[in-house]
Amino acid sequence: MSIQTIGYAAYDALGLLKPFKFELQKCGSDDVHIRIVACGVCATDINIVKNIYQVSKYPVVPGHEIVGYVEAVGENVTKVKRGDKVGVGILAETCGTCVCCVKKLEQYCQSHVLRSLGCSLKDGSVFQGGYARDIVCHENYVARFPANLDMYEGASLMCAGITVYSPLKKYELDKPGKKLGVIGLGGLGHMAVKFGVAFGLEVTVISHSEKKREEALGVLGAHKFINSTDLKNFDEAKDSLDFIIDTVNFEKDMDMYLSLLSVDGTLMIVAIPEKPLAVNVSLLLKSRRNIAGSILGSIEEVEEMLEFCGTNNIGAMIEKISMDYINTAYERLAKSDVHYRFVLDIENTCPRI
């Protein structure tokens, strides 16, 4: 039986979100029906409603930082049961057979990756996102959510959190002793700082906004702050960091940031730059520095991250908003006017059928 639900959708590429009643695909034998409590707001959502990626099917319901309760499960589902807390991120369908999927790196699926943002599934149906009361998805893409973790502060972990957690773990920065630099103190950046501090790293925030110094050091627990508008700060910190995670997409002088890395240091890019990067290769050669990239994380990594966050009481710093505020939130997000992540209160403010 199909499921009737309601949410907010964009009806065209203008991107204005309005209430939208729609029918979900039925909960199949391997599927999980989730009653959504909270959904984080990501800049990617704006790109989806405006069809920047040329994949959106209108009306499109965005949202991929989803947390809620299991309402029902298909007969083959063993991972979760009715009443469980769960999360759903950006993945909704992968091939399951390519080398990446077999290695449980499904975020790098080589043949078919669907982002849970109103795109078409392989069967032709449209998979709507989390700005709605309900969602149905395959159990493979459902993550178990810690009972003690706040659902609103935890929603943004499903994208912003895992985007920085995955590369930190991959490069073994989950133990004390190394020095981490974080470029940008926004939605992704503040989570990178939180994880770095929790892992026991010496964390340096690199930002062009001096007003973020106090919060970086006094609230988030970073150890150092570099104001990137003053070039002498780069000279003073030269060769001092083992790993830098770049969380911002604006154009920058990459050579300045590479100079901060010590021998064998890595600059990890997790935000798509506005323009192609220009790099002085000699800076890589003379200190065996590396530039790498990473996107999202596997479901296995998501569950590991959520367990870590539950144990260490780590969540995003958020502004909880009502559904009818979403268009204003998009305007503010486009101006980077958010501290640090918007999260929709679906349970209490989404319209009812």
Side-chain angles (χ1 to χ4, degrees):
M1 180 182 297
S2 61
I3 300 164
Q4 300 295 319
T5 192
I6 188 170
Y8 267 53
Y11 289 77
D12 53 45
L14 291 176
L16 185 66
L17 293 160
K18 303 175 184 178
F20 172 54
K21 295 179 182 179
F22 62 102
E23 185 177 283
L24 290 169
Q25 68 271 34
K26 68 177 182 179
C27 188
S29 57
D30 299 309
D31 293 335
V32 180
H33 172 198
I34 300 165
R35 174 173 55 84
I36 299 174
V37 171
C39 185
V41 178
C42 177
T44 299
D45 298 344
I46 299 178
N47 292 338
I48 289 295
V49 300
K50 293 182 178 294
N51 201 22
I52 301 300
Y53 305 131
Q54 298 296 302
V55 296
S56 301
K57 308 288 185 181
Y58 294 102
V60 57
V61 179
H64 58 271
E65 297 183 339
I66 302 162
V67 179
Y69 291 103
V70 174
E71 188 72 14
V73 299
E75 59 186 17
N76 295 336
V77 174
T78 59
K79 186 176 184 178
V80 295
K81 64 184 184 304
R82 178 179 168 84
D84 284 355
K85 261 185 176 183
V86 293
V88 176
I90 204 165
L91 295 180
E93 187 175 77
T94 55
C95 75
T97 58
C98 72
V99 62
C100 291
C101 287
V102 170
K103 290 181 177 180
K104 296 185 177 180
L105 294 171
E106 60 273 8
Q107 73 272 32
Y108 300 115
C109 175
Q110 299 298 294
S111 45
H112 183 85
V113 175
L114 172 84
R115 297 169 184 249
S116 55
L117 298 163
C119 306
S120 295
L121 294 165
K122 284 183 283 189
D123 65 8
S125 62
V126 175
F127 191 94
Q128 300 289 14
Y131 292 12
R133 286 204 165 273
D134 303 89
I135 195 169
V136 173
C137 60
H138 194 286
E139 73 165 328
N140 286 351
Y141 309 104
V142 174
R144 290 162 290 210
F145 199 88
N148 67 311
L149 194 59
D150 181 86
M151 298 176 85
Y152 294 94
E153 294 180 359
S156 294
L157 297 174
M158 301 305 300
C159 177
I162 191 59
T163 295
V164 295
Y165 180 90
S166 178
L168 291 176
K169 286 286 291 188
K170 166 66 178 175
Y171 284 78
E172 299 182 348
L173 274 86
D174 58 339
K175 54 186 72 68
K178 292 189 177 181
K179 297 179 180 180
L180 169 68
V182 179
I183 303 176
L185 194 61
L188 274 65
H190 92 286
M191 288 308 310
V193 174
K194 284 194 169 195
F195 285 134
V197 171
F199 289 147
L201 306 176
E202 182 184 289
V203 180
T204 298
V205 171
I206 308 164
S207 172
H208 68 276
S209 177
E210 180 63 28
K211 66 182 181 181
K212 292 188 176 182
R213 179 187 294 271
E214 183 177 349
E215 183 155 80
L217 302 176
V219 178
L220 293 172
H223 303 87
K224 297 179 181 179
F225 185 94
I226 295 175
N227 186 325
S228 59
T229 63
D230 191 339
L231 298 183
K232 73 176 183 181
N233 293 329
F234 285 86
D235 291 333
E236 293 172 357
K238 187 177 179 180
D239 301 320
S240 66
L241 302 174
D242 299 301
F243 192 91
I244 297 173
I245 189 162
D246 183 359
T247 70
V248 298
N249 65 353
F250 59 77
E251 188 176 8
K252 62 182 78 66
D253 184 343
M254 296 301 294
D255 294 350
M256 290 168 51
Y257 295 91
L258 285 169
S259 72
L260 299 176
L261 290 170
S262 58
V263 173
D264 286 330
T266 296
L267 173 60
M268 173 61 62
I269 298 170
V270 296
I272 300 174
E274 294 175 340
K275 298 180 180 180
L277 299 179
V279 177
N280 180 356
V281 176
S282 66
L283 287 173
L284 303 180
L285 300 179
K286 69 179 184 180
S287 293
R288 204 162 62 181
R289 297 176 174 120
N290 310 282
I291 297 176
S294 178
I295 187 170
L296 303 172
S298 67
I299 299 302
E300 188 175 87
E301 287 177 310
V302 169
E303 291 198 322
E304 177 189 295
M305 173 198 66
L306 290 173
E307 183 179 354
F308 180 82
C309 289
T311 300
N312 294 277
N313 193 30
I314 295 174
M317 296 175 69
I318 67 165
E319 292 185 43
K320 187 192 295 187
I321 61 173
S322 61
M323 292 291 289
D324 60 8
Y325 189 76
I326 186 60
N327 291 304
T328 301
Y330 274 16
E331 292 175 3
R332 289 181 54 194
L333 184 58
K335 302 173 185 176
S336 300
D337 177 23
V338 55
H339 186 255
Y340 282 100
R341 209 74 172 176
F342 288 122
V343 175
L344 286 163
D345 184 356
I346 304 291
E347 184 173 49
N348 297 307
T349 69
C350 186
R352 297 180 184 274
I353 295 179

